[in-house]
Amino acid sequence: MFELRLVQGSLLKKVLESIKDLVNDANFDCSSTGFSLQAMDSSHVALVALLLRSEGFEHYRCDRNLTMGMNLANMAKMLKCAGNDDIITIKADDGTDTVTFMFESPSQDKISDFEMKLMDIDSEHLGIPEAEYEAIIRMPSAEFARICRDLSSIGDTVVISVTKEGVRFSARGDIGAANIVCRQNATVDKPEDATIIEMQEPVTLTFALRYMNSFTKATPLAEQVTISMSSDLPVVVEYKVAGMGYIRYYLAPKIEE
Amino acid sequence: PCLQRKIFEYFNSN
């Protein structure tokens, strides 16, 4: 028996919106640690890792480890039927091939349940080694989304370069070129507006903007985004999920041939 | 021209 209950159901809706365009089908792993997922996009260029810790749920019961294969577009369709203020419960009984999503309105006057078929998904689970990153940027997530959106009107790739001066996002295309430099700015009224750059070594990497833009679908989840970079390693773009976990996107760099 | 690397070139299969 697996059951989780999340009073702030909108979080789960936002989580699904953040991954459904990147990944078609994925295995959700349910364990005593929490509700997690690791999946690559169909081109095997990006990887998303989600963790929602069991302590973050109002109720969490997992009698034995369970893997639930779901089509994320279908799951998102079902979660779209939950109101933003609804409490969401996810239930799966042992030995069944369905999962039930239950939505309760805050005043308890409307209760819906949606049953979805599970799938057998043959997915590869990758071991992600702990790494010391040469540069870590923390910045407002909305600002990062704006930069990715603006640069994708200029080119297909972004060069992210961290130096003592700050972090530079550059794109180049048929119509011209663009450079956006963000400097460290810790002296702001609100901590969520800060840009903090921790640099051990200068680092410059090139990435496909299509994926970066897809990652920014997670912007409604967190005021800040953390971008961790090292030479010739995938970048990690991390959004925290309201004290209960994270969504981390890993993106392999483009390299000069 | 740039070559797009794959994610599994960096992370080992479990």
Side-chain angles (χ1 to χ4, degrees), chain A residues 9-17 79-84 88:
Chain A
S10 59
L11 278 182
L12 211 52
K13 287 162 69 82
K14 287 177 190 168
V15 163
L16 250 288
E17 291 304 309
L79 290 182
K80 268 196 174 166
C81 302
N84 277 332
I88 297 182

Side-chain angles (χ1 to χ4, degrees), chain A residues 126-172:
Chain A
L126 299 178
I128 302 166
E130 286 288 319
E132 288 283 321
Y133 286 93
E134 289 164 356
I136 299 174
I137 305 144
R138 292 185 182 81
M139 65 188 293
S141 59
E143 185 60 52
F144 178 61
R146 174 71 196 261
I147 290 169
C148 291
R149 194 190 70 195
D150 288 349
L151 291 183
S152 48
S153 61
I154 307 295
D156 297 330
T157 61
V158 56
V159 179
I160 307 179
S161 182
V162 185
T163 63
K164 276 190 296 186
E165 275 98 89
V167 53
R168 176 187 299 267
F169 301 88
S170 310
R172 182 171 292 280

Side-chain angles (χ1 to χ4, degrees), chain A residues 50-197:
Chain A
L50 163 75
L51 173 65
L52 302 176
R53 291 185 197 89
S54 50
E55 308 90 78
F57 295 94
E58 280 67 32
H59 168 74
Y60 190 93
R61 176 180 166 184
C62 181
D63 296 343
R64 60 176 65 88
N65 290 358
L66 178 72
T67 297
M68 295 195 288
M70 300 198 221
N71 175 280
L72 297 188
N74 291 344
M75 187 179 174
K77 273 184 204 168
M78 298 215 166
L79 290 182
K80 268 196 174 166
C81 302
N84 277 332
D85 300 329
D86 281 1
I87 299 162
I88 297 182
T89 298
I90 301 181
K91 280 197 277 194
D93 287 319
D94 292 334
T96 59
D97 60 352
T98 59
V99 59
T100 301
F101 302 101
M102 193 172 91
F103 312 137
E104 296 167 68
S105 66
S107 54
Q108 303 281 313
D109 54 1
K110 181 181 171 192
I111 297 171
S112 327
D113 66 81
F114 289 72
E115 192 179 271
M116 190 175 85
K117 286 180 191 150
L118 295 174
M119 316 165 65
D120 277 328
I121 299 166
D122 189 19
S123 77
E124 194 178 9
H125 206 271
L126 299 178
I128 302 166
E130 286 288 319
E132 288 283 321
Y133 286 93
E134 289 164 356
I136 299 174
I137 305 144
R138 292 185 182 81
M139 65 188 293
S141 59
E143 185 60 52
F144 178 61
R146 174 71 196 261
I147 290 169
C148 291
R149 194 190 70 195
D150 288 349
L151 291 183
S152 48
S153 61
I154 307 295
D156 297 330
T157 61
V158 56
V159 179
I160 307 179
S161 182
V162 185
T163 63
K164 276 190 296 186
E165 275 98 89
V167 53
R168 176 187 299 267
F169 301 88
S170 310
R172 182 171 292 280
D174 294 341
I175 63 165
N179 291 291
I180 300 169
V181 178
C182 297
R183 293 206 174 88
Q184 168 140 310
N185 179 12
T187 55
V188 287
D189 293 340
K190 291 181 281 179
E192 59 266 32
D193 292 337
T195 298
I196 310 283
I197 300 165

